[in-house]
Amino acid sequence: MKLASEITLIPVLHGKIAFAAHVRKLCNSENFDAIAIDVPLTFEQDLGEAVDRLPFISALTAKDNEDHLFYVPIDPCDSTIEAVRQARQKRIPFHCIGFPKLSIPSPMQGLPDEYAINSVGFDTFSALCLHAAKLPQKGSYNDEAARFIAHKLLQLKQSQKNVLALVHFRRFAAVVKHFGKEETYNALFAPAPTYSLSKFLINPDHLYFALGELPFVTAKFEKERQNIFSEPVDIIDCIKDLFRETRDDYMDHSIAAEELSPVRIQAALSYLRNLTVMSQRFLPSLFDIIEAAKGVGGNAYAVRILKSARYYPFLPFDSNERIMDTGISNVALSSEVGPGDKKEIFESTNLFRDMQMHWKTLSIKPDPSLEKRKKYKYTWNPLGMCSHQPEDIRIENFNSHLRHRSLQILSESYSKSEKFTSSVKDGIDIRETLRNWYTGDIYVKEIPPVKGKIDTVVILFDENNDHLYPHRTVWYAEHDQESTLTFYASDPFEDLIGPGVARCTYGGLSLLFPPRTIPSAFEVTGELNLTDCASKLVAGALMFSREKAVAIVSAQKPDIKKRMLASRFKKHLVWIPMASFSSETLRKLRRFHILNGKNVRSWASRFIGD
């Protein structure tokens, strides 16, 4: 709004990209003689130099006589910092017109989400926020600060022709009220208290507590600033990039990357959208982001998303400045530079934090450290291995489903069609009837009962990367409701996630039910001149099956080599396409755990999670 012909006044919130982008757009569309920002006058002397150091993020601190520390983070996403950057670039003066007496600001409540600016516009959004913020009480700190700002603006009006002034929502309405009053121009203010001023670099690991946006989003905004051809930053797109880039950067193992397919990433984003809507917001919080990542990708992916969200890539590696550790209500200041320096803790107030910050608890089990993995490996008993029982139940249920389905496929392959005479038999054959529609005849089908059963099922997840699956063995059933399991899988010692708990991935497996004691298919098939694990597994299944048909689940139809093997054993393979099952079902089946003895079952669930 135009407060006067010489002053353009806009309301702002701290640390939000939407306001910083609006200020940048305003400065690029109009030539201002000076910029005034609602930042305490106390910090004016050092503010320009600190802004020039961006993208390295620092903080200006002011300590009062009671050792309470106030600080202003040099946040690239803050509109006042963006205004100072614009002033420095355009070589015009900037003025801090904020009240020099510092006070702990009360958190703002019930403001609309700033993402609504994209749809309702800046002016409408500002009107809604001003209605929610209301006019400060007469005589309050914000009212006195607004009178000081109005006094400073009246002084600038005398010396400048076109001033851009940024005032916080807390004081905006009061500034407008005081600006037109004569006593404001002649007002006298008490001298400001004396503060001990300092400058610190903010610990990169603690930026989340100092910035208004996620450090990942802040980095995106800073990179956009450095590239004049880049598109404006959209926070929703940044959240999508966070999930996608984390998957690409950290999931170096091909199997892990396959598990987090684009479909699963989309599921995580849909879940995150629902969590955000339930919170009555447009933009998700970090807590919701981590919860959505955990729900789809498990603990490991959630931890990696958390690290990515807090990562800010512009790091001052060769700086000798002192570091400030920040928290929600405390900071730790180093007295010296270098390793082992002593730190002093102070109660603190972030003057650029508008909303209250809370701790929330979310249970995440990070991957064990390298030292713990070594400890788990050296305490592993090679004579004791067993399965995780919930996974046994899951694979047996799937085995039962596959045997039933393969029988259906066999029945359908033997079905016959004939013209309808007196009985519909097993139903009308729609396909054959339509094919002979011009004759006017109706065809019925007859499905004969299948002779025999299916006792062996082979599932081939990966037929081409045998080097990834060095663990090849047979597990015998613990009771008569379990199958004899022959499989090749990844090395359990490569992924120990707990004491006596190893995480593995199947390359392929065969299930023999009812269970029998059989030798390993990878040893007895040596005379068949088979080289790959998949062929050996199929040969073993054909060798030990007592039925004429063996079910096989694979991505491709069995090749000529496997069909010749079946012919050699006078059996045939019933192919079930792997694509007929959902990727989520296959993912859950393929990942399994090996326990170092039955006693480990009592605590294994604490480490396995989902």
Side-chain angles (χ1 to χ4, degrees):
M1 66 172 289
K2 276 288 185 183
L3 191 60
S5 59
E6 299 88 356
I7 297 176
T8 302
L9 189 67
I10 61 171
V12 294
L13 289 173
H14 285 305
K16 300 300 180 186
I17 281 182
F19 291 92
H22 183 72
V23 168
R24 185 189 298 177
K25 182 180 177 182
L26 208 58
C27 290
N28 290 334
S29 61
E30 191 172 348
N31 292 324
F32 295 101
D33 297 331
I35 289 177
I37 55 174
D38 184 6
V39 172
L41 184 60
T42 312
F43 299 105
E44 186 178 45
Q45 185 177 355
D46 299 323
L47 186 58
E49 184 182 346
V51 170
D52 289 343
R53 296 208 56 203
L54 285 171
F56 303 135
I57 297 178
S58 56
L60 304 178
T61 64
K63 188 168 62 175
D64 61 13
N65 295 330
E66 298 177 354
D67 279 350
H68 188 89
L69 191 136
F70 298 89
Y71 71 93
V72 170
I74 309 303
D75 184 352
C77 296
D78 191 273
S79 54
T80 57
I81 301 301
E82 177 63 31
V84 175
R85 292 180 97 173
Q86 293 292 332
R88 306 287 278 188
Q89 288 177 2
K90 298 178 184 300
R91 300 182 183 280
I92 58 176
F94 73 90
H95 305 274
C96 291
I97 58 174
F99 199 39
K101 182 182 177 181
L102 304 181
S103 174
I104 299 174
S106 57
M108 302 192 72
Q109 302 288 340
L111 289 185
D113 203 320
E114 70 274 5
Y115 194 73
I117 291 177
N118 296 330
S119 55
V120 302
F122 187 84
D123 293 338
T124 306
F125 178 81
S126 299
L128 291 171
C129 286
L130 288 171
H131 180 73
K134 299 181 180 177
L135 193 66
Q137 290 184 354
K138 187 176 181 180
S140 64
Y141 173 82
N142 282 329
D143 186 63
E144 186 68 8
R147 200 160 68 95
F148 181 84
I149 293 170
H151 175 74
K152 284 290 184 182
L153 288 176
L154 285 170
Q155 289 181 343
L156 283 174
K157 181 184 174 185
Q158 305 300 319
S159 59
Q160 305 291 342
K161 294 181 179 177
N162 193 7
V163 179
L164 174 65
L166 277 62
V167 177
H168 197 272
F169 276 104
R170 287 193 186 96
R171 295 172 282 275
F172 186 87
V175 167
V176 175
K177 185 185 78 172
H178 289 297
F179 185 79
K181 295 183 178 178
E182 183 179 352
E183 60 265 27
T184 303
Y185 184 81
N186 298 319
L188 295 175
F189 297 91
T194 303
Y195 296 98
S196 174
L197 304 177
S198 299
K199 292 181 291 185
F200 294 89
L201 282 174
I202 299 178
N203 188 334
D205 291 337
H206 299 176
L207 283 176
Y208 173 72
F209 298 105
L211 303 181
E213 304 284 1
L214 292 176
F216 180 86
V217 177
T218 304
K220 289 281 184 184
F221 188 63
E222 193 62 28
K223 289 176 182 175
E224 180 234 333
R225 182 186 184 82
Q226 296 173 359
N227 183 4
I228 60 174
F229 300 106
S230 62
E231 295 289 329
V233 168
D234 185 281
I235 297 181
I236 299 298
D237 290 339
C238 288
I239 301 300
K240 294 177 184 175
D241 290 342
L242 174 64
F243 280 80
R244 182 180 52 80
E245 291 179 12
T246 302
R247 173 190 179 274
D248 296 341
D249 292 343
Y250 290 94
M251 300 299 170
D252 51 350
H253 197 287
S254 60
I255 297 174
E258 286 176 7
E259 289 181 354
L260 282 171
S261 62
V263 176
R264 289 179 59 76
I265 297 292
Q266 181 61 44
L269 293 173
S270 300
Y271 181 40
L272 178 59
R273 178 201 59 199
N274 296 339
L275 289 175
T276 308
V277 170
M278 289 173 63
S279 304
Q280 299 182 346
R281 306 294 295 176
F282 288 131
L283 298 175
S285 64
L286 179 62
F287 184 85
D288 290 340
I289 291 172
I290 304 305
E291 194 170 4
K294 181 187 175 186
V296 175
N299 290 315
Y301 187 53
V303 171
R304 286 161 181 161
I305 285 284
L306 178 60
K307 289 179 179 177
S308 296
R310 295 169 56 228
Y311 178 66
Y312 182 74
F314 303 101
L315 304 175
F317 291 109
D318 54 351
S319 174
N320 293 322
E321 292 185 47
R322 290 184 293 170
I323 300 292
M324 182 174 81
D325 297 341
T326 60
I328 291 181
S329 58
N330 293 299
V331 297
L333 303 179
S334 56
S335 55
E336 299 174 357
V337 178
D341 57 337
K342 296 180 180 177
K343 293 191 175 180
E344 199 172 356
I345 298 175
F346 298 92
E347 287 188 1
S348 65
T349 299
N350 182 351
L351 295 176
F352 277 7
R353 184 183 298 156
D354 293 332
M355 306 296 173
Q356 198 162 8
M357 188 176 275
H358 302 281
W359 287 108
K360 287 185 177 179
T361 303
L362 178 64
S363 175
I364 299 178
K365 299 182 184 69
D367 291 338
S369 63
L370 185 61
E371 292 298 322
K372 281 190 175 180
R373 287 174 189 267
K374 287 182 180 177
K375 182 180 177 182
Y376 297 155
K377 188 173 182 178
Y378 291 134
T379 56
W380 186 277
N381 178 11
L383 301 178
M385 285 192 185
C386 67
S387 59
H388 184 47
Q389 285 181 324
E391 292 168 350
D392 289 344
I393 296 171
R394 186 186 302 162
I395 198 75
E396 290 300 335
N397 289 338
F398 191 64
N399 179 28
S400 175
H401 170 71
L402 288 178
R403 284 187 282 119
H404 179 69
R405 186 164 175 180
S406 55
L407 286 175
Q408 286 183 330
I409 294 174
L410 272 178
S411 298
E412 291 174 0
S413 65
Y414 294 143
S415 67
K416 297 178 182 178
S417 294
E418 59 184 46
K419 288 182 182 178
F420 170 74
T421 54
S422 59
S423 171
V424 295
K425 296 191 174 179
D426 291 319
I428 298 174
D429 191 338
I430 301 296
R431 180 183 296 180
E432 196 64 23
T433 302
L434 291 175
R435 186 177 296 165
N436 298 279
W437 184 257
Y438 61 96
T439 64
D441 296 327
I442 296 175
Y443 283 76
V444 296
K445 59 184 176 182
E446 181 179 8
I447 302 175
V450 178
K451 296 180 181 178
K453 298 178 181 177
I454 300 287
D455 65 350
T456 306
V457 171
V458 180
I459 307 173
L460 300 177
F461 292 107
D462 189 352
E463 303 180 46
N464 303 318
N465 300 295
D466 289 351
H467 63 283
L468 297 176
Y469 311 106
H471 189 58
R472 300 157 190 175
T473 188
V474 182
W475 278 0
Y476 299 108
E478 296 183 36
H479 50 81
D480 58 359
Q481 296 301 313
E482 271 192 356
S483 305
T484 301
L485 176 64
T486 307
F487 63 92
Y488 58 97
S490 58
D491 186 2
F493 294 113
E494 293 293 327
D495 195 7
L496 294 168
I497 61 172
V501 183
R503 185 166 51 197
C504 296
T505 305
Y506 283 124
L509 71 155
S510 72
L511 296 151
L512 177 63
F513 186 85
R516 294 195 303 276
T517 301
I518 58 172
S520 171
F522 304 101
E523 297 175 1
V524 298
T525 55
E527 297 178 357
L528 299 175
N529 296 324
L530 301 174
T531 55
D532 59 296
C533 291
S535 298
K536 291 180 181 178
L537 192 69
V538 173
L542 292 167
M543 188 181 297
F544 301 120
S545 174
R546 292 176 178 173
E547 304 295 337
K548 289 289 184 182
V550 172
I552 180 170
V553 181
S554 59
Q556 303 291 333
K557 206 169 182 178
D559 55 17
I560 184 65
K561 187 166 65 174
K562 294 185 181 63
R563 292 204 299 272
M564 288 178 65
L565 273 175
S567 177
R568 183 172 180 174
F569 288 100
K570 298 182 179 178
K571 295 173 184 175
H572 66 275
L573 298 171
V574 181
W575 179 54
I576 303 175
M578 189 164 283
S580 59
F581 303 100
S582 71
S583 57
E584 183 66 18
T585 300
L586 296 174
R587 184 191 70 83
K588 288 183 177 178
L589 289 171
R590 195 175 180 189
R591 178 63 60 90
F592 72 107
H593 296 82
I594 297 178
L595 310 183
N596 193 205
K598 293 184 179 179
N599 59 322
V600 181
R601 285 174 172 166
S602 60
W603 68 75
S605 297
R606 289 161 47 196
F607 296 90
I608 292 174
D610 59 341

